[in-house]
Amino acid sequence: MNTSERSQQMRFAAHMSWANTTDRSARTAAARRASHHTRFLVQARELHPDATEAEIEKVAESLRKAHYTALGLKSAASRRAKSAATKAKKRAEAEQQIAQYRPGSAAA
């Protein structure tokens, strides 16, 4: 089996697994709890060691929102830079094509 077939087989298995899952949220709940949430709780406790658990939860939620907002800003900046680079490349290619038809050029 080559890598393409293996990839397709694994993709098929993943789709079948999710098709047989009735409660998607429950299936992923433990992973969501274990991943970022605990990280933000730890950070909130470091920032506010004397806070109550309710206050820690609120701070952790704000830290989580700030984190994902920052990721969104970075993503937008990256997309904007990629778009600008693509436009600049197309503009340079167009100028190069136009230049070959100007008087005095070798192609004219």
Side-chain angles (χ1 to χ4, degrees), residues 14-64:
H15 286 302
M16 289 305 296
S17 176
W18 281 108
N20 292 321
T21 302
T22 54
D23 189 356
R24 291 171 174 248
S25 182
R27 179 175 170 177
T28 59
R32 285 193 315 274
R33 275 193 310 274
S35 64
H36 290 298
H37 187 67
T38 55
R39 175 179 129 195
F40 297 123
L41 285 173
V42 168
Q43 191 175 357
R45 285 189 181 102
E46 289 173 357
L47 289 171
H48 305 284
D50 298 330
T52 66
E53 278 305 308
E55 292 170 335
I56 292 294
E57 285 288 334
K58 288 179 183 178
V59 171
E61 181 64 16
S62 292
L63 289 169
R64 184 187 69 78

Side-chain angles (χ1 to χ4, degrees), residues 64-80:
R64 184 187 69 78
K65 288 179 180 180
H67 172 75
Y68 284 107
T69 300
L71 287 179
L73 289 169
K74 287 180 183 178
S75 176
S78 175
R79 288 190 310 272
R80 194 171 32 256

Side-chain angles (χ1 to χ4, degrees), residues 1 5 11-12 15 21-22 30 35 49 70 86 99:
M1 180 180 310
E5 290 170 336
R11 194 174 307 119
F12 170 76
H15 286 302
T21 302
T22 54
S35 64
T86 301

